[in-house]
Every structure is written in structure tokens, then in C-alpha cells.
Amino acid sequence: MRLLNSVLDLFLRSNCPLCDRPLQGDELCLACQRRLNDCQQPKSVQQWQGTPPLFAWGIYQGDLKRAIAALKYENQPQLARPLGYRMGETWQQSPGLPKSLVVVPIPMHPEKQRQRGFNQAECLARYFCHLTGFSLAPKGLKRVKNTQALYGLTPQQRQQTLQRAIALGESFQRRPPRHPVLLFDDIYTTGSTTREAIALLQQHQIPVAGVATLAKTQGPSRSRSTP
Ligand SMILES: [Zn+2]
């Protein structure tokens, strides 16, 4: 019986998706949780800068990059909980950020989402909203064009690819949001996708407060992204 139990234990116990050590019930082992905490940007550079204002929890590198890859490409959607909560915690601890917002995840094309099984931006946003109390509008926007990955494209190519790729979703078609929109994504690179979304929302007289992202890529991409 004891042998059977330990065999069952072996099957039921899961391992940390980042380092493969046995887990104690959380989504990540303690060592990986600590390493992830170290990925948080200093508050002074994290917050609400630029046009549109951008809130970026961390830099897209190291353990944070690894965690996002595991979430998206290794089918570990449970990682959205610790990551989304970290964003929400930091948001709540930061003075001067807007208080009443409707969070709109950058949508995935339905076909791509069917393949992956989830939209990671939406999963993260859900936990972010749990903590901040903001309402979530997962169908505020929809993707109507199945674009290829934008990584590695020139700014012009990105713009062409993204043209009319995003449309107003069912919920905003029925009724515009009551509060300004906070666009929400897992990774912020040049901002071309969010700019496309902002332009669309503005066409429909829907105000956008800014953008929140788990990680932004380092380097001159942000300044290059400003037209
Ligand atoms: Zn670990």
C-alpha cells in the first residue's frame, strides 16, 4: 500500500515548469519565484511613461523571458496566475496610476487561439483584474486577420501586416466601456500592435488610458516605435 501511494505520489506530484524541481503546491518552486521577483523593474523606471503611457512590470530577458515562453509555448497557462498577480500587486503599490479602468487584452486570432488553447494576455489580465478590481473586457477587441509573428519585421512591414488586423469586439460593439481602456499584453516590443488598437478605439470615441505589459523588450525599440 505504501508503495502504491508513493507510486501514485510520483504521478500526481508536478514539477516546476521552469526548473523541473518537485513542487510544493504552487505553480513555481521557491527558487524560481525568487528569481522571477528579481526580474521586476525598479519602480522609478517601470511606470506610466511615454505616449501612450506604458506600465511594464519587467524586462523581456532572463527568467521572465523563460517564464513567458513556458506559459505560451509549453502549454503552462497556470503560470498566468503568479505573473498576473505580480503585475497587479505592483500596480496597486504604485502611486499616481489611474483608478477606474476597463482592461482589454490584445486579442489573438481565433484560429491561433484554438491551436494554443488560450490567449496568454487574457489569462494574465484576468489575475491582474482580480487584484486591482478593474473590469475585464476580453471581447472588447477582436483580431480579424491572422497575422504572422511580428518579431524580426521592419517597422513598415509591421504596420502593413497589422493594418485592419484588429476590429471592435462584440462587447464594445454592443456598448462602449464606461471607463477608459487599459490595453494589456504579455510582451511589448515596438508598440505597433497597441498603436493599431488605440487608433481603432479612438475612431470609435473610446478613450485609452494607456498600456500595461508584463515585459517589454530592452533597447531603443520604444523610441523607435514613436512615429
Ligand atoms: Zn523552479
Side-chain angles (χ1 to χ4, degrees):
M1 196 59 196
R2 192 187 288 170
L3 180 68
L4 180 67
N5 278 344
S6 48
V7 169
L8 277 176
D9 251 353
L10 207 65
F11 278 109
L12 295 173
R13 204 171 47 199
S14 49
N15 287 357
C16 174
L18 300 187
C19 70
D20 215 32
R21 286 197 194 94
L23 282 178
Q24 308 287 349
D26 283 324
E27 293 87 353
L28 290 167
C29 75
L30 277 177
C32 285
Q33 288 185 40
R34 278 195 209 104
R35 277 206 300 275
L36 210 53
N37 290 342
D38 292 340
C39 295
Q40 184 179 346
Q41 288 203 85
K43 292 227 167 61
S44 53
V45 295
Q46 195 170 40
Q47 319 295 341
W48 224 234
Q49 299 176 7
T51 315
L54 174 71
F55 168 91
W57 186 82
I59 297 287
Y60 185 58
Q61 62 184 15
D63 292 289
L64 184 55
K65 186 175 178 178
R66 170 79 192 95
I68 293 173
L71 165 69
K72 283 163 78 165
Y73 305 119
E74 295 164 24
N75 193 27
Q76 307 278 358
Q78 77 278 15
L79 287 179
R81 196 172 82 113
L83 295 167
Y85 276 162
R86 275 170 172 76
M87 286 180 74
E89 252 164 39
T90 306
W91 181 283
Q92 284 185 311
Q93 291 160 2
S94 312
L97 295 181
K99 293 273 182 277
S100 298
L101 298 169
V102 173
V103 175
V104 179
I106 294 294
M108 266 170 102
H109 191 270
E111 199 176 307
K112 206 162 158 188
Q113 189 165 339
R114 245 194 317 276
Q115 280 168 10
R116 185 168 295 166
F118 56 90
N119 173 2
Q120 69 281 350
E122 184 183 331
C123 300
L124 289 164
R126 209 166 277 285
Y127 292 106
F128 176 80
C129 288
H130 277 183
L131 272 200
T132 55
F134 296 151
S135 49
L136 178 68
K139 291 192 163 48
L141 294 171
K142 64 179 175 187
R143 215 181 266 259
V144 287
K145 210 159 107 181
N146 201 357
T147 53
Q148 54 172 313
L150 296 176
Y151 195 79
L153 297 185
T154 67
Q156 276 138 328
Q157 285 170 326
R158 279 170 189 261
Q159 212 186 350
Q160 281 164 5
T161 307
L162 281 168
Q163 240 158 27
R164 285 183 284 280
I166 292 174
L168 212 59
E170 285 75 19
S171 63
F172 283 1
Q173 279 174 26
R174 273 200 306 272
R175 195 176 56 186
R178 287 185 194 163
H179 301 294
V181 163
L182 177 68
L183 288 169
F184 197 100
D185 212 352
D186 54 330
I187 306 170
Y188 186 96
T189 309
T190 64
S192 40
T193 311
T194 47
R195 268 201 309 282
E196 184 74 17
I198 289 168
L200 177 89
L201 290 167
Q202 283 171 346
Q203 277 166 29
H204 292 270
Q205 282 84 46
I206 297 173
V208 180
V211 183
T213 184
L214 175 59
K216 73 167 196 160
T217 53
Q218 214 169 16
S221 54
R222 175 131 178 97
S223 53
R224 201 176 61 216
S225 73
T226 313

